[in-house]
Amino acid sequence: DFVRSLGLQLVDRGSKPFDTQQLSPSDVIAFYFSAHWCPPCRQFTPVLKKFVESLQGAGDHSLKVIFVSSDKSESEMWQYMYEAHGN
């Protein structure tokens, strides 16, 4: 409900709209603020991706990570998402 109340237009890594109606009350929502130019972010992002993939591999799909870009341009954001992020 919180994410829906923000009225954000979310997209997945493929630039396809993500319908927040797919979120359930039992989902855990994490806002991840990151940028390709940030060295600590570039170190942490692969760790986070691996963690999410391990949860999903075990059948737990409740963690939803919403990437909030601090990149300097939209093209840098997309490049970072394709290089380092999951979907």
Side-chain angles (χ1 to χ4, degrees), residues 13-64:
R13 187 176 127 173
S15 191
K16 295 180 184 123
F18 178 82
D19 182 6
T20 57
Q21 297 297 323
Q22 297 178 42
L23 299 173
S24 75
S26 62
D27 285 336
V28 176
I29 310 299
F31 289 90
Y32 177 48
F33 294 80
S34 183
H36 84 282
W37 52 262
C38 170
C41 298
R42 290 188 68 85
Q43 290 178 352
F44 178 72
T45 299
V47 175
L48 177 60
K49 180 181 178 185
K50 186 175 181 179
F51 175 71
V52 171
E53 288 173 345
S54 69
L55 285 176
Q56 292 173 345
D60 184 348
H61 296 272
S62 64
L63 177 60
K64 309 296 187 208

Side-chain angles (χ1 to χ4, degrees), residues 32 34-38 41-46 67 69 71 75-85:
Y32 177 48
S34 183
H36 84 282
W37 52 262
C38 170
C41 298
R42 290 188 68 85
Q43 290 178 352
F44 178 72
T45 299
F67 170 59
S69 175
D71 286 303
S75 64
E76 289 177 346
M77 174 197 73
W78 286 114
Q79 180 180 356
Y80 186 38
M81 285 182 67
Y82 287 122
E83 289 174 0
H85 293 246

